[in-house]
Amino acid sequence: MGERAVSVLGLGWMGAALANTLVREGHDVTVWNRTAHKARPLEGRAHVARTVRAAVEASDVIFVCLLNYEASDELLREADVAAALSGKTLVQFSSGTPARAREAGEWARRHGLSYLDCTMSAGPQHVGSALGTFYYAGALEVFESVREVITPLVGTSTYCGEELGYAAALDFAHLGAFTGLMTVLGSVVALLDAEGVALEDFLPTVSFLDREFLEGVVEAISEERYPSGRAALTTWKAWADQFVSSARDAGVDDGVARLVRDSLAVAVERGHGGEDIYAVFSAFSPSR
Ligand code: NAP
């Protein structure tokens, strides 16, 4: 495989995993992160850019992996950065709504850059492994032009077609189902707690859910153990803000999305922002 110059903007959980995998694959990697110390583990293996513009100028392929599209727009839409992006390929890994993905594609077209929207059905522990799936939306020739760079990132790289909102819609459906389930489980477990019913008695009644998954959930709740996750609850909350927007943009009822977002917000307010998604249960039980 030929070495490519690739820049990664954002070195949170996922951005750092992407950058490390690119380095491992022998690419010429440049990184930038708002909080500079997160680039230290990559020093000596990757170039560390002092500015976004310098990171963009260093490579023809730019990966963006920030909290959300708002953070990304703030950086990339500065006039000098937008000018430096012209003629390059931007792969957007930050979560965003289908509408924002479409708008970003239009912005990219106007500014002369190629654009792919990626959603990651994977955690940082899967990046660089044979597990997990990344979904890509955008022009086929753009996908093909970076295929050799993106293929080793995760077990499966799925091209969804030219409709730029497609991968994002899939992501909101998948994660909406997951976070919705976690929120409902938080609510019913609080009810069981309040009524003094043992969680062990609850398990066999939920035969429609995977037993191993459910046992993991119940164990975390009963031990009140919400370990520091590989996706912080604050990141989930930022995702859920967009879950609400995606429902509204699509003209569908946003009730479930608001419930998920509000539950996550309460859990963050209660001090669980750095913890695992399981900490959403704390929203339903003040004692937790
Ligand atoms: P994270 O660990 O919270 O990192 C967030 C990154 O965004 C950091 O680099 C942070 O910089 C940067 N950032 C936030 N606001 C910014 C701003 N206003 N200006 C500049 N930089 C800003 O998040 P993550 O887990 O890596 O997730 C990144 C994206 O991937 C999110 O959109 C998330 O929804 C998505 N995702 C995550 C997972 C997962 O398992 N973690 C899985 C699938 C998708 P600082 O370091 O300076 O704060």
Side-chain angles (χ1 to χ4, degrees), residues 10-15 32-35 38 65-68 71 74-75 93-96 120-125 171 175 230-232 234-235 239 242:
L11 296 172
W13 278 107
M14 291 306 275
W32 175 88
N33 194 64
R34 177 181 62 178
T35 308
K38 288 190 188 167
C65 191
L66 301 169
L67 186 63
N68 51 26
E74 210 177 291
L75 302 179
F93 292 89
S94 320
S95 296
M120 304 183 282
S121 183
Q125 73 277 26
D171 184 60
L175 293 180
R230 292 173 171 131
T234 49
T235 310
W239 171 87
Q242 301 177 83

Side-chain angles (χ1 to χ4, degrees), residues 143-230:
F143 177 76
E144 292 296 351
S145 74
V146 293
R147 189 194 273 273
E148 63 171 346
V149 180
I150 60 179
T151 298
L153 294 179
V154 76
T156 309
S157 303
T158 300
Y159 175 63
C160 299
E162 304 230 333
E163 163 47 48
L164 267 170
Y166 198 96
L170 207 53
D171 184 60
F172 281 98
H174 155 231
L175 293 180
F178 174 64
T179 53
L181 174 62
M182 297 297 266
T183 305
V184 169
L185 284 173
S187 162
V188 299
V189 166
L191 175 71
L192 294 172
D193 251 7
E195 292 292 347
V197 177
L199 292 176
E200 292 70 28
D201 289 336
F202 166 62
L203 285 177
T205 70
V206 199
S207 55
F208 49 87
L209 287 180
D210 177 76
R211 185 65 183 244
E212 199 182 325
F213 163 74
L214 200 57
E215 280 175 357
V217 168
V218 166
E219 192 182 304
I221 301 173
S222 46
E223 291 176 10
E224 298 190 27
R225 186 176 47 78
Y226 312 130
S228 166
R230 292 173 171 131

